Amino acid sequence: MQKRIPLTPDSSRCSTCMLNNLCLPVGMSTIDISRFEEVVQERLRIPKGESLFEAGERADAIFGIRVGSLKTQLEDASGHVQVTGFLLPGEIAGLDGFLEGHQLSHAVALEDTEVCVARVDEIDRVAAHIPSLQQQLRRLTSTEMKRSHQLVVSLGVLRSEQRLAAFLVNMSQRLSILGYSSSEFILRMSREEIGNYLGLTLETVSRLFSRFARENLIRIHQREVKLLDLPALRDLAGTDCG
Amino acid sequence: MQKRIPLTPDSSRCSTCMLNNLCLPVGMSTIDISRFEEVVQERLRIPKGESLFEAGERADAIFGIRVGSLKTQLEDASGHVQVTGFLLPGEIAGLDGFLEGHQLSHAVALEDTEVCVARVDEIDRVAAHIPSLQQQLRRLTSTEMKRSHQLVVSLGVLRSEQRLAAFLVNMSQRLSILGYSSSEFILRMSREEIGNYLGLTLETVSRLFSRFARENLIRIHQREVKLLDLPALRDLAGTDCG
DNA sequence: CGGCCCGTTGACTTACATCAAGATGAGTGG
DNA sequence: CCACTCATCTTGATGTAAGTCAACGGGCCG
């Protein structure tokens, strides 16, 4: 269902990609980026609803998101699903799996999505010559860890309204880094997916959105959100929003 | 408050340590272990209640636990604490910090504890010659990630009794690997710490312990636990206990 | 012995889940 | 273009798991 897109010499590459200051090449010199580029030999298109990878699969690559968005989720033995994150352009999918050779989670496209494929063996081969790449991989892994910790804190100590406020503020921050409006955006995931991610039911999420709207913190219509009072939301969330 | 113990040539080392098949040297050949040993130049003694490291500190080492146990916790801006894990002998503390140069969490000794110090620069220096070390670091990082994910699932989808059952089964598993009884052990942490870890209050934890005891799943007196019906606990937890 | 954590247990409250009944909107086919 | 279905979302009524508040008991340490 995924469509492979081999990269020809004249395809657009990392060095000309708008996202190269967010994605894997963060912090690399122009020269390092051009050396790194050869690691990325192809792209994949994943239609909405399809999987980029599933838990247990051999993990021989990590994926930089070019356009679109993904959710990652875990399933336990009894079939329960826990959404562990939403990934936006410039962010990297498959980091947890890459560390141990097979995927730990299941990544599904929330909309038609395109990712750049960086094969692990290529990375290892090239990393010897690009110290900043090793460093960047460590940094990304650490970020992933922090995200996971943040989620633990959110699920462990925050109340539902705080979790949802933190979620909105976090989305706003990440979207604004991508150059989108930090106050007005479209949620690519359903109420159910948000709820699952935050350890709430879809009804609770819906009710909270309605309440936030009533309190003039946001305006919301289906998946279009407008944050009317970001400071108040930030305050509600308890300042740090991962 | 920490007491440094420099290692002299005749100190006991990794190659003679009982834990070397659990700790950092897992999967290394005898030769690799003896090369790895030189990374560990000292140990630290941390008295009960004292910190091994605190969030924000420069992270220039990782720590293999020799004897004792630790808890790791995060504090958010508003001072809320979330316990993120308990570490037993043979397990490694400070992995998350090591990836990005400063500690993300706060590690506190639950009892008088002794750890082996592996400095990051030493590791990086030696890693070039010991491929199994690089691999082992990746594996440990991945394990850490899995643990965190497991906790997310636990907090997100399990009910209180399931969380506590999973906690007991998990402790039992880890202790039996260390050669202790898998059915009878002493909890080194308070009800409050368990509760915080599992996203519950100390009263709920206490009540659940009492209920488990009433249902003959366990016997418990203060911090001494005896698991009477491990299969039932496993079943209650939902099979996989990280 | 007395003080102090720590753990237990009970009575009460509440935040969130569950159950259930419409609305709203996107997609499809006549 | 309208009528249909199906997904998703909203809102209300009710239930319940777990939190809160409070009193008490048991170990442990000076």
Side-chain angles (χ1 to χ4, degrees):
Chain A
M1 220 29 102
Q2 301 170 357
K3 190 172 162 202
R4 312 178 79 196
I5 310 168
L7 295 187
T8 58
D10 54 324
S11 304
S12 102
R13 297 302 192 100
C14 294
S15 46
T16 54
C17 177
M18 280 174 23
L19 296 170
N20 71 15
N21 59 335
L22 303 170
C23 191
L24 265 166
V26 171
M28 290 188 197
S29 64
T30 316
I31 294 170
D32 282 352
I33 293 183
S34 62
R35 271 188 278 175
F36 170 72
E37 279 184 337
E38 66 188 61
V39 165
V40 182
Q41 304 279 6
E42 61 172 336
R43 300 211 183 99
L44 290 174
R45 248 188 248 281
I46 304 103
K48 177 174 176 171
E50 300 293 330
S51 298
L52 170 57
F53 52 77
E54 309 209 19
E57 255 176 37
R58 237 188 100 47
D60 50 5
I62 58 179
F63 307 92
I65 300 172
R66 239 174 93 80
V67 294
S69 50
L70 298 168
K71 65 171 172 178
T72 54
Q73 58 187 28
L74 303 172
E75 292 172 43
D76 78 355
S78 51
H80 269 138
V81 168
Q82 170 71 39
V83 174
T84 54
F86 301 108
L87 295 170
L88 303 181
E91 301 177 337
I92 312 297
L95 276 174
D96 49 353
F98 139 81
L99 289 167
E100 83 152 24
H102 60 266
Q103 299 298 347
L104 301 177
S105 50
H106 179 184
V108 182
L110 293 172
E111 59 193 310
D112 291 355
T113 293
E114 196 177 312
V115 300
C116 300
V117 180
R119 304 222 157 270
V120 171
D121 45 13
E122 291 289 312
I123 291 175
D124 282 342
R125 196 172 54 71
V126 171
H129 313 275
I130 315 179
S132 54
L133 176 56
Q134 272 297 355
Q135 199 190 341
Q136 172 61 358
L137 282 173
R138 277 195 184 173
R139 272 243 306 286
L140 286 167
T141 309
S142 154
T143 305
E144 190 79 1
M145 210 107 181
K146 257 195 274 189
R147 270 189 359 88
S148 185
H149 279 164
Q150 206 78 38
L151 186 53
V152 168
V153 171
S154 171
L155 294 170
V157 317
L158 301 186
R159 273 173 310 109
S160 59
E161 53 180 34
Q162 299 180 292
R163 294 183 213 175
L164 192 62
F167 170 75
L168 288 172
V169 173
N170 177 269
M171 286 304 287
S172 154
Q173 281 173 357
R174 287 157 66 196
L175 287 165
S176 82
I177 291 174
L178 288 175
Y180 296 108
S181 164
S182 67
S183 66
E184 209 164 353
F185 48 88
I186 294 181
L187 298 169
R188 307 252 87 120
M189 66 295 285
S190 69
R191 301 290 188 264
E192 180 164 20
E193 285 161 335
I194 298 171
N196 185 301
Y197 175 63
L198 298 174
L200 305 170
T201 57
L202 68 100
E203 293 97 327
T204 299
V205 173
S206 178
R207 269 187 258 269
L208 283 170
F209 275 146
S210 302
R211 205 185 89 203
F212 285 175
R214 231 177 298 128
E215 293 167 348
N216 291 317
L217 296 175
I218 65 173
R219 185 166 317 144
I220 188 157
H221 178 65
Q222 301 286 115
R223 297 190 179 185
E224 298 163 36
V225 213
K226 176 161 189 170
L227 308 189
L228 299 175
D229 193 343
L230 198 47
L233 285 169
R234 213 182 285 276
D235 198 47
L236 187 56
T239 65
D240 49 342
C241 301
Chain B
M1 222 29 100
Q2 302 170 359
K3 189 171 163 205
R4 312 178 78 197
I5 309 168
L7 295 187
T8 58
D10 55 323
S11 304
S12 103
R13 296 303 191 98
C14 294
S15 45
T16 55
C17 177
M18 279 173 26
L19 296 170
N20 71 15
N21 59 335
L22 302 170
C23 190
L24 264 165
V26 172
M28 290 189 196
S29 65
T30 316
I31 296 170
D32 282 353
I33 292 183
S34 62
R35 269 188 277 175
F36 169 72
E37 280 185 334
E38 64 187 62
V39 165
V40 181
Q41 304 280 5
E42 62 171 336
R43 302 211 181 99
L44 290 173
R45 248 190 249 281
I46 305 103
K48 178 175 176 172
E50 300 293 330
S51 299
L52 170 57
F53 53 77
E54 308 210 19
E57 255 176 37
R58 236 187 103 47
D60 50 6
I62 58 180
F63 308 91
I65 299 172
R66 237 173 96 80
V67 294
S69 50
L70 298 168
K71 66 171 172 178
T72 53
Q73 57 187 27
L74 302 172
E75 292 174 42
D76 78 353
S78 50
H80 268 140
V81 167
Q82 169 72 39
V83 174
T84 53
F86 302 107
L87 294 170
L88 302 181
E91 300 177 337
I92 313 296
L95 276 174
D96 50 352
F98 140 80
L99 290 167
E100 85 152 22
H102 60 266
Q103 299 298 349
L104 301 177
S105 49
H106 180 183
V108 182
L110 293 173
E111 57 192 313
D112 291 355
T113 294
E114 195 177 313
V115 300
C116 299
V117 181
R119 304 223 156 268
V120 172
D121 45 12
E122 291 291 311
I123 291 176
D124 282 342
R125 195 172 54 72
V126 171
H129 313 275
I130 315 179
S132 54
L133 176 56
Q134 272 298 356
Q135 199 190 338
Q136 173 61 356
L137 283 173
R138 276 193 185 175
R139 273 242 305 285
L140 286 167
T141 309
S142 153
T143 305
E144 189 79 1
M145 211 107 180
K146 256 196 272 187
R147 271 193 354 91
S148 183
H149 280 163
Q150 206 77 36
L151 186 54
V152 167
V153 170
S154 170
L155 294 170
V157 317
L158 300 186
R159 274 173 311 107
S160 60
E161 53 180 32
Q162 299 181 294
R163 293 183 213 175
L164 192 63
F167 170 75
L168 288 173
V169 174
N170 177 268
M171 287 304 287
S172 155
Q173 281 173 357
R174 286 156 66 196
L175 285 166
S176 83
I177 290 175
L178 288 174
Y180 296 108
S181 163
S182 66
S183 66
E184 207 162 355
F185 47 89
I186 293 181
L187 299 168
R188 308 253 86 122
M189 65 297 284
S190 69
R191 302 290 189 264
E192 180 164 20
E193 286 161 336
I194 297 172
N196 185 301
Y197 175 63
L198 298 174
L200 304 170
T201 58
L202 67 99
E203 291 97 329
T204 299
V205 173
S206 178
R207 267 187 260 268
L208 283 170
F209 275 145
S210 301
R211 206 184 88 204
F212 285 176
R214 229 178 299 128
E215 294 167 346
N216 291 317
L217 296 175
I218 65 173
R219 184 165 319 143
I220 187 158
H221 177 65
Q222 302 287 115
R223 297 190 180 185
E224 298 164 37
V225 215
K226 177 160 189 170
L227 308 189
L228 300 174
D229 192 345
L230 198 47
L233 285 169
R234 214 182 284 278
D235 197 48
L236 187 56
T239 65
D240 49 344
C241 302

